[in-house]
Amino acid sequence: MKLSKTIIEPLYFFVLCGTLVSLFVHPKLSSIGIILLSLVWIADGFTREKVRAFAAHPFFIACSLLFVSYLVSWLFSTDKAAAAFAIEKKLALPLLPAIILSMPVFTKKRLQQLSTLFIGATVVTMLVALLISLYQYSISGDVNGFFYHNLVSGVRLSAITASCFCLISLVLVVHSTLGKRYRNIIGLFLILCMLLLSSKMFLFLLFILGFIYVFSLKVMRYRIILLSGLIIGLLLIITTSNPLKNRFADITKFNTERVLAHQYKTEEYFDGLSMRLVYVRFSKEIIQEHHAFWLGVGTGDAEVLLQQKITQSGMYTGNGTSDKGYLEYGFHNQYIQVWVQMGLLGLCIYLLLLGIAWIFALRSTAKWFAAILFIFSIGALTDTWLEVQTGLMLFLLFISLGIRQAPTLNSKQLSS
């Protein structure tokens, strides 16, 4: 029996809340969130309007086409088990958009509660990470425990994932209805966390979004204050000895000849940019050698072929223990990985998906929508969000919500 709207809407909301929080605890818990959302969706019944709401929606169609591409890619994979596992991880691609695009539209209050919950979960997670690092510092005296992966190892996150949480939360804080004092305090705390996490790409995204935000302010005094703070902060980082400066000094080690070389010494060091560009070259070679320009080499074989390239080139592959050297790193570029896995056709579908999302984001008056989509679009140049549960869930949840809640977000009576 179909549940009434007074029951089904709160059910959707509370399960969504639980799903968001689960991303901070353990990625596998988010799978339970998808199952619960599916059960609520089924209990809601299937009317013609509900089916039309998602089945005819271009974003759902694009997500479904990308999922079908993963299914077809299984046929071209030698390692069928790995390809099947990749398909299993992508089940959320058609399912989450279908659920969110056809569920009841939330009120502005509900949206603000979801936003506040995500911000709160991020702040609590980073506070716990800082306390763990502080405790470890009291024992070891090593200040490096406050930076990069070390900072969030105690809460079982990577620096990249934690930076993503912080930057998305910062975007939501800026456009929230929280009091000005709370926005300032939380915003400064999140910026501090991002500096400690030291992800180059996310600090770059922070700079770009911050620059856009500063020049969107109507009051010139606020522009001057924020720009002055930014300049002072940069000067302090540049002129003092600190781990963050050392992270960015790594860029100076970039060497074009190293990127173009075909053979390396085991002890040869690769900075982040050089490694990614070498992997781009490896990807091109894999495509050419397997004549896989249009359809790719298959989702089951792409990673294996990249690892073969790394090994054959002489790059460091570990010491035989838990250290796997450069074999631990994947393609580090979502666009390149989709191209290698599923060829140009798969890449075009992925770009179509992003293009559709951007059309809705640019039409929306909710500035956070475009900002979060910008994070995922540019961040995909250095990371593979579709390949990890947390990244895929974050992308689908926020983009689908931004599209579905357009009637509320675009209301002239409501601020963005």
Side-chain angles (χ1 to χ4, degrees):
M1 183 178 67
K2 182 180 177 180
L3 299 177
S4 66
K5 185 178 180 180
T6 55
I7 297 176
I8 205 71
E9 191 271 347
L11 276 177
Y12 273 116
F13 175 74
F14 288 117
V15 174
L16 267 177
C17 287
T19 304
L20 279 176
V21 172
S22 71
L23 296 174
F24 293 85
V25 182
H26 198 287
K28 290 185 178 178
L29 288 177
S30 62
S31 298
I32 299 176
I34 295 177
I35 293 172
L36 293 176
L37 270 175
S38 301
L39 292 175
V40 174
W41 190 53
I42 293 170
D44 189 21
F46 290 93
T47 62
R48 182 177 298 178
E49 291 74 16
K50 179 180 176 179
V51 173
R52 189 184 298 119
F54 72 87
H57 200 287
F59 184 70
F60 168 76
I61 293 172
C63 287
S64 299
L65 285 174
L66 187 60
F67 181 71
V68 170
S69 297
Y70 280 100
L71 291 175
V72 173
S73 181
W74 177 84
L75 299 173
F76 300 96
S77 299
T78 303
D79 190 338
K80 302 293 186 184
F85 182 64
I87 292 171
E88 181 184 340
K89 292 195 297 183
K90 302 299 186 299
L91 286 173
L93 262 174
L95 191 55
L96 267 182
I99 294 171
I100 295 176
L101 292 173
S102 60
M103 71 181 189
V105 177
F106 290 147
T107 63
K108 181 62 179 293
K109 183 180 179 180
R110 290 288 200 204
L111 291 176
Q112 286 298 337
Q113 288 172 338
L114 275 174
S115 173
T116 303
L117 176 68
F118 188 85
I119 295 166
T122 301
V123 170
V124 170
T125 300
M126 294 311 301
L127 281 173
V128 171
L130 284 168
L131 288 174
I132 293 173
S133 295
L134 185 62
Y135 172 73
Q136 292 173 340
Y137 173 74
S138 68
I139 297 174
S140 65
D142 185 7
V143 72
N144 287 315
F146 290 100
F147 291 89
Y148 203 42
H149 291 304
N150 295 331
L151 174 62
V152 287
S153 61
V155 290
R156 299 181 179 182
L157 292 176
S158 69
I160 305 302
T161 302
S163 296
C164 185
F165 284 149
C166 288
L167 188 53
I168 290 176
S169 294
L170 185 59
V171 168
L172 296 175
V173 165
V174 169
H175 300 291
S176 72
T177 56
L178 294 171
K180 185 177 180 181
R181 179 182 298 178
Y182 291 110
R183 289 204 308 271
N184 291 339
I185 293 173
I186 296 173
L188 288 173
F189 174 74
L190 292 172
I191 291 173
L192 172 63
C193 289
M194 291 193 66
L195 290 173
L196 295 177
L197 290 166
S198 310
S199 167
K200 298 170 191 174
M201 172 54 81
F202 277 94
L203 287 176
F204 169 74
L205 291 171
L206 173 64
F207 177 80
I208 297 298
L209 291 174
F211 186 83
I212 294 172
Y213 173 70
V214 166
F215 283 92
S216 70
L217 295 174
K218 296 180 180 179
V219 181
M220 182 60 69
R221 178 165 57 92
Y222 293 155
R223 291 187 188 180
I224 295 173
I225 292 173
L226 289 174
L227 281 175
S228 300
L230 177 62
I231 293 171
I232 293 171
L234 286 173
L235 288 174
L236 286 173
I237 293 171
I238 293 171
T239 58
T240 61
S241 178
N242 58 81
L244 179 60
K245 179 182 177 181
N246 296 335
R247 278 274 298 155
F248 278 85
D250 187 66
I251 298 175
T252 61
K253 299 177 183 178
F254 175 75
N255 187 315
T256 305
E257 293 181 0
R258 183 181 294 122
V259 173
L260 299 176
H262 291 281
Q263 203 64 33
Y264 304 105
K265 297 179 180 179
T266 303
E267 66 275 11
E268 198 162 356
Y269 172 77
F270 291 83
D271 62 276
L273 178 59
S274 296
M275 183 192 72
R276 285 168 170 81
L277 290 178
V278 168
Y279 286 5
V280 170
R281 180 168 62 80
F282 285 166
S283 300
K284 181 182 176 182
E285 291 173 2
I286 291 171
I287 290 291
Q288 291 175 336
E289 291 168 5
H290 292 80
H291 308 287
F293 182 82
W294 292 104
L295 297 176
V297 298
T299 50
D301 303 337
E303 290 279 358
V304 174
L305 292 173
L306 176 63
Q307 291 178 353
Q308 288 177 3
K309 282 287 181 182
I310 293 169
T311 304
Q312 292 166 3
S313 69
M315 295 174 71
Y316 179 64
T317 56
N319 53 18
T321 59
S322 58
D323 179 13
K324 296 181 180 179
Y326 291 105
L327 292 177
E328 291 184 6
Y329 302 95
F331 287 89
H332 267 292
N333 185 313
Q334 189 63 68
Y335 301 102
I336 294 294
Q337 182 150 353
V338 170
W339 179 41
V340 175
Q341 289 176 331
M342 300 179 289
L344 183 62
L345 294 178
L347 179 59
C348 287
I349 292 173
Y350 179 51
L351 293 174
L352 173 66
L353 186 155
L354 290 177
I356 291 170
W358 269 110
I359 290 173
F360 282 95
L362 294 175
R363 288 176 179 176
S364 174
T365 58
K367 297 177 183 178
W368 63 260
F369 186 4
I372 291 176
L373 182 55
F374 177 78
I375 292 170
F376 283 110
S377 300
I378 303 300
L381 291 170
T382 58
D383 291 288
T384 51
W385 293 113
L386 295 184
E387 310 310 314
V388 291
Q389 180 84 348
T390 301
L392 180 62
M393 291 286 290
L394 280 174
F395 174 77
L396 292 175
L397 282 170
F398 278 105
I399 304 309
S400 298
L401 278 171
I403 294 172
R404 178 56 178 163
Q405 304 303 321
T408 299
L409 296 172
N410 293 345
S411 173
K412 294 181 180 179
Q413 296 178 348
L414 302 170
S415 63
S416 61

mmCIF file of all heavy atoms in Angstrom, residues 353-377:
data_model
loop_
_atom_site.group_PDB
_atom_site.id
_atom_site.type_symbol
_atom_site.label_atom_id
_atom_site.label_comp_id
_atom_site.label_asym_id
_atom_site.label_seq_id
_atom_site.Cartn_x
_atom_site.Cartn_y
_atom_site.Cartn_z
ATOM 1 N N LEU A 353 27.064 13.703 -19.620
ATOM 2 C CA LEU A 353 26.504 13.733 -18.266
ATOM 3 C C LEU A 353 26.875 15.038 -17.560
ATOM 4 O O LEU A 353 26.022 15.708 -16.969
ATOM 5 C CB LEU A 353 27.034 12.521 -17.487
ATOM 6 C CG LEU A 353 26.489 12.247 -16.078
ATOM 7 C CD1 LEU A 353 26.641 10.766 -15.754
ATOM 8 C CD2 LEU A 353 27.210 13.065 -15.025
ATOM 9 N N LEU A 354 28.159 15.403 -17.627
ATOM 10 C CA LEU A 354 28.606 16.644 -16.994
ATOM 11 C C LEU A 354 27.967 17.864 -17.662
ATOM 12 O O LEU A 354 27.585 18.829 -16.993
ATOM 13 C CB LEU A 354 30.134 16.757 -17.069
ATOM 14 C CG LEU A 354 30.937 15.784 -16.198
ATOM 15 C CD1 LEU A 354 32.434 15.978 -16.444
ATOM 16 C CD2 LEU A 354 30.616 15.990 -14.719
ATOM 17 N N GLY A 355 27.847 17.817 -18.996
ATOM 18 C CA GLY A 355 27.253 18.937 -19.717
ATOM 19 C C GLY A 355 25.806 19.172 -19.320
ATOM 20 O O GLY A 355 25.385 20.320 -19.120
ATOM 21 N N ILE A 356 25.043 18.094 -19.176
ATOM 22 C CA ILE A 356 23.644 18.209 -18.745
ATOM 23 C C ILE A 356 23.570 18.793 -17.344
ATOM 24 O O ILE A 356 22.749 19.676 -17.053
ATOM 25 C CB ILE A 356 22.955 16.831 -18.803
ATOM 26 C CG1 ILE A 356 22.782 16.393 -20.261
ATOM 27 C CG2 ILE A 356 21.596 16.865 -18.091
ATOM 28 C CD1 ILE A 356 22.338 14.955 -20.420
ATOM 29 N N ALA A 357 24.453 18.297 -16.453
ATOM 30 C CA ALA A 357 24.483 18.822 -15.087
ATOM 31 C C ALA A 357 24.799 20.322 -15.091
ATOM 32 O O ALA A 357 24.194 21.097 -14.334
ATOM 33 C CB ALA A 357 25.513 18.063 -14.259
ATOM 34 N N TRP A 358 25.724 20.734 -15.955
ATOM 35 C CA TRP A 358 26.099 22.157 -16.016
ATOM 36 C C TRP A 358 24.946 23.022 -16.539
ATOM 37 O O TRP A 358 24.766 24.153 -16.093
ATOM 38 C CB TRP A 358 27.339 22.342 -16.900
ATOM 39 C CG TRP A 358 28.612 22.263 -16.117
ATOM 40 C CD1 TRP A 358 29.557 21.281 -16.147
ATOM 41 C CD2 TRP A 358 29.066 23.217 -15.157
ATOM 42 N NE1 TRP A 358 30.567 21.554 -15.262
ATOM 43 C CE2 TRP A 358 30.296 22.732 -14.648
ATOM 44 C CE3 TRP A 358 28.564 24.417 -14.674
ATOM 45 C CZ2 TRP A 358 31.026 23.425 -13.678
ATOM 46 C CZ3 TRP A 358 29.273 25.115 -13.707
ATOM 47 C CH2 TRP A 358 30.497 24.615 -13.217
ATOM 48 N N ILE A 359 24.161 22.502 -17.457
ATOM 49 C CA ILE A 359 23.008 23.261 -17.959
ATOM 50 C C ILE A 359 22.046 23.578 -16.810
ATOM 51 O O ILE A 359 21.585 24.707 -16.655
ATOM 52 C CB ILE A 359 22.289 22.478 -19.073
ATOM 53 C CG1 ILE A 359 23.151 22.441 -20.338
ATOM 54 C CG2 ILE A 359 20.921 23.107 -19.385
ATOM 55 C CD1 ILE A 359 22.605 21.539 -21.432
ATOM 56 N N PHE A 360 21.768 22.564 -15.990
ATOM 57 C CA PHE A 360 20.870 22.780 -14.845
ATOM 58 C C PHE A 360 21.515 23.673 -13.794
ATOM 59 O O PHE A 360 20.847 24.511 -13.181
ATOM 60 C CB PHE A 360 20.483 21.437 -14.215
ATOM 61 C CG PHE A 360 19.429 20.692 -14.987
ATOM 62 C CD1 PHE A 360 19.784 19.722 -15.907
ATOM 63 C CD2 PHE A 360 18.080 20.979 -14.807
ATOM 64 C CE1 PHE A 360 18.815 19.042 -16.627
ATOM 65 C CE2 PHE A 360 17.104 20.309 -15.529
ATOM 66 C CZ PHE A 360 17.472 19.341 -16.444
ATOM 67 N N ALA A 361 22.821 23.519 -13.582
ATOM 68 C CA ALA A 361 23.512 24.324 -12.567
ATOM 69 C C ALA A 361 23.526 25.799 -12.944
ATOM 70 O O ALA A 361 23.316 26.675 -12.095
ATOM 71 C CB ALA A 361 24.937 23.812 -12.379
ATOM 72 N N LEU A 362 23.755 26.085 -14.220
ATOM 73 C CA LEU A 362 23.816 27.484 -14.657
ATOM 74 C C LEU A 362 22.440 28.134 -14.679
ATOM 75 O O LEU A 362 22.323 29.356 -14.580
ATOM 76 C CB LEU A 362 24.461 27.561 -16.047
ATOM 77 C CG LEU A 362 25.946 27.150 -16.099
ATOM 78 C CD1 LEU A 362 26.444 27.136 -17.532
ATOM 79 C CD2 LEU A 362 26.791 28.095 -15.242
ATOM 80 N N ARG A 363 21.403 27.326 -14.815
ATOM 81 C CA ARG A 363 20.038 27.860 -14.770
ATOM 82 C C ARG A 363 19.569 28.090 -13.339
ATOM 83 O O ARG A 363 18.611 28.832 -13.105
ATOM 84 C CB ARG A 363 19.077 26.896 -15.470
ATOM 85 C CG ARG A 363 19.213 26.850 -16.986
ATOM 86 C CD ARG A 363 18.280 25.798 -17.550
ATOM 87 N NE ARG A 363 18.343 25.725 -19.016
ATOM 88 C CZ ARG A 363 17.687 24.826 -19.741
ATOM 89 N NH1 ARG A 363 16.923 23.915 -19.118
ATOM 90 N NH2 ARG A 363 17.805 24.817 -21.051
ATOM 91 N N SER A 364 20.212 27.430 -12.398
ATOM 92 C CA SER A 364 19.790 27.503 -10.996
ATOM 93 C C SER A 364 20.276 28.799 -10.344
ATOM 94 O O SER A 364 21.378 29.283 -10.645
ATOM 95 C CB SER A 364 20.330 26.302 -10.218
ATOM 96 O OG SER A 364 20.043 26.426 -8.842
ATOM 97 N N THR A 365 19.483 29.345 -9.461
ATOM 98 C CA THR A 365 19.901 30.528 -8.704
ATOM 99 C C THR A 365 20.705 30.138 -7.471
ATOM 100 O O THR A 365 21.233 31.011 -6.785
ATOM 101 C CB THR A 365 18.675 31.346 -8.254
ATOM 102 O OG1 THR A 365 17.819 30.513 -7.446
ATOM 103 C CG2 THR A 365 17.901 31.871 -9.455
ATOM 104 N N ALA A 366 20.778 28.840 -7.181
ATOM 105 C CA ALA A 366 21.563 28.352 -6.046
ATOM 106 C C ALA A 366 23.036 28.299 -6.451
ATOM 107 O O ALA A 366 23.454 27.405 -7.193
ATOM 108 C CB ALA A 366 21.069 26.975 -5.613
ATOM 109 N N LYS A 367 23.820 29.230 -5.959
ATOM 110 C CA LYS A 367 25.220 29.319 -6.370
ATOM 111 C C LYS A 367 26.038 28.114 -5.910
ATOM 112 O O LYS A 367 27.041 27.767 -6.529
ATOM 113 C CB LYS A 367 25.823 30.623 -5.839
ATOM 114 C CG LYS A 367 25.159 31.867 -6.417
ATOM 115 C CD LYS A 367 25.734 33.133 -5.817
ATOM 116 C CE LYS A 367 25.007 34.365 -6.363
ATOM 117 N NZ LYS A 367 25.519 35.622 -5.760
ATOM 118 N N TRP A 368 25.606 27.472 -4.818
ATOM 119 C CA TRP A 368 26.354 26.306 -4.331
ATOM 120 C C TRP A 368 26.319 25.162 -5.336
ATOM 121 O O TRP A 368 27.248 24.360 -5.404
ATOM 122 C CB TRP A 368 25.815 25.838 -2.982
ATOM 123 C CG TRP A 368 24.392 25.347 -2.985
ATOM 124 C CD1 TRP A 368 23.288 26.034 -2.599
ATOM 125 C CD2 TRP A 368 23.920 24.048 -3.386
ATOM 126 N NE1 TRP A 368 22.159 25.258 -2.741
ATOM 127 C CE2 TRP A 368 22.514 24.027 -3.213
ATOM 128 C CE3 TRP A 368 24.538 22.894 -3.864
ATOM 129 C CZ2 TRP A 368 21.733 22.904 -3.517
ATOM 130 C CZ3 TRP A 368 23.756 21.777 -4.171
ATOM 131 C CH2 TRP A 368 22.370 21.788 -3.989
ATOM 132 N N PHE A 369 25.243 25.073 -6.118
ATOM 133 C CA PHE A 369 25.079 23.999 -7.093
ATOM 134 C C PHE A 369 26.215 24.040 -8.117
ATOM 135 O O PHE A 369 26.928 23.049 -8.335
ATOM 136 C CB PHE A 369 23.713 24.142 -7.750
ATOM 137 C CG PHE A 369 23.328 23.026 -8.692
ATOM 138 C CD1 PHE A 369 24.135 21.906 -8.869
ATOM 139 C CD2 PHE A 369 22.140 23.094 -9.408
ATOM 140 C CE1 PHE A 369 23.765 20.886 -9.735
ATOM 141 C CE2 PHE A 369 21.758 22.084 -10.274
ATOM 142 C CZ PHE A 369 22.580 20.988 -10.436
ATOM 143 N N ALA A 370 26.406 25.198 -8.753
ATOM 144 C CA ALA A 370 27.468 25.339 -9.753
ATOM 145 C C ALA A 370 28.843 25.199 -9.114
ATOM 146 O O ALA A 370 29.766 24.634 -9.721
ATOM 147 C CB ALA A 370 27.345 26.690 -10.460
ATOM 148 N N ALA A 371 29.005 25.702 -7.878
ATOM 149 C CA ALA A 371 30.309 25.623 -7.207
ATOM 150 C C ALA A 371 30.703 24.171 -6.939
ATOM 151 O O ALA A 371 31.854 23.776 -7.172
ATOM 152 C CB ALA A 371 30.254 26.409 -5.895
ATOM 153 N N ILE A 372 29.760 23.362 -6.463
ATOM 154 C CA ILE A 372 30.057 21.958 -6.181
ATOM 155 C C ILE A 372 30.308 21.183 -7.481
ATOM 156 O O ILE A 372 31.211 20.342 -7.555
ATOM 157 C CB ILE A 372 28.910 21.317 -5.368
ATOM 158 C CG1 ILE A 372 28.897 21.910 -3.958
ATOM 159 C CG2 ILE A 372 29.057 19.795 -5.313
ATOM 160 C CD1 ILE A 372 27.756 21.432 -3.092
ATOM 161 N N LEU A 373 29.548 21.484 -8.524
ATOM 162 C CA LEU A 373 29.778 20.839 -9.819
ATOM 163 C C LEU A 373 31.148 21.232 -10.374
ATOM 164 O O LEU A 373 31.844 20.403 -10.978
ATOM 165 C CB LEU A 373 28.670 21.227 -10.800
ATOM 166 C CG LEU A 373 28.734 20.587 -12.192
ATOM 167 C CD1 LEU A 373 28.787 19.068 -12.099
ATOM 168 C CD2 LEU A 373 27.536 21.018 -13.034
ATOM 169 N N PHE A 374 31.549 22.472 -10.145
ATOM 170 C CA PHE A 374 32.878 22.942 -10.558
ATOM 171 C C PHE A 374 33.970 22.137 -9.855
ATOM 172 O O PHE A 374 34.974 21.747 -10.465
ATOM 173 C CB PHE A 374 33.012 24.432 -10.231
ATOM 174 C CG PHE A 374 34.369 25.012 -10.538
ATOM 175 C CD1 PHE A 374 34.722 25.331 -11.832
ATOM 176 C CD2 PHE A 374 35.286 25.250 -9.515
ATOM 177 C CE1 PHE A 374 35.973 25.870 -12.117
ATOM 178 C CE2 PHE A 374 36.529 25.791 -9.784
ATOM 179 C CZ PHE A 374 36.880 26.095 -11.089
ATOM 180 N N ILE A 375 33.764 21.867 -8.569
ATOM 181 C CA ILE A 375 34.727 21.085 -7.789
ATOM 182 C C ILE A 375 34.927 19.706 -8.406
ATOM 183 O O ILE A 375 36.059 19.245 -8.600
ATOM 184 C CB ILE A 375 34.259 20.952 -6.320
ATOM 185 C CG1 ILE A 375 34.319 22.312 -5.622
ATOM 186 C CG2 ILE A 375 35.103 19.921 -5.570
ATOM 187 C CD1 ILE A 375 33.646 22.332 -4.259
ATOM 188 N N PHE A 376 33.826 19.038 -8.750
ATOM 189 C CA PHE A 376 33.930 17.696 -9.308
ATOM 190 C C PHE A 376 34.440 17.702 -10.748
ATOM 191 O O PHE A 376 35.158 16.788 -11.157
ATOM 192 C CB PHE A 376 32.576 16.989 -9.233
ATOM 193 C CG PHE A 376 32.242 16.489 -7.855
ATOM 194 C CD1 PHE A 376 31.243 17.085 -7.112
ATOM 195 C CD2 PHE A 376 32.936 15.424 -7.306
ATOM 196 C CE1 PHE A 376 30.944 16.634 -5.843
ATOM 197 C CE2 PHE A 376 32.640 14.957 -6.037
ATOM 198 C CZ PHE A 376 31.634 15.568 -5.301
ATOM 199 N N SER A 377 34.074 18.711 -11.521
ATOM 200 C CA SER A 377 34.498 18.773 -12.922
ATOM 201 C C SER A 377 36.000 19.005 -13.044
ATOM 202 O O SER A 377 36.688 18.331 -13.826
ATOM 203 C CB SER A 377 33.742 19.885 -13.657
ATOM 204 O OG SER A 377 32.356 19.661 -13.640
#
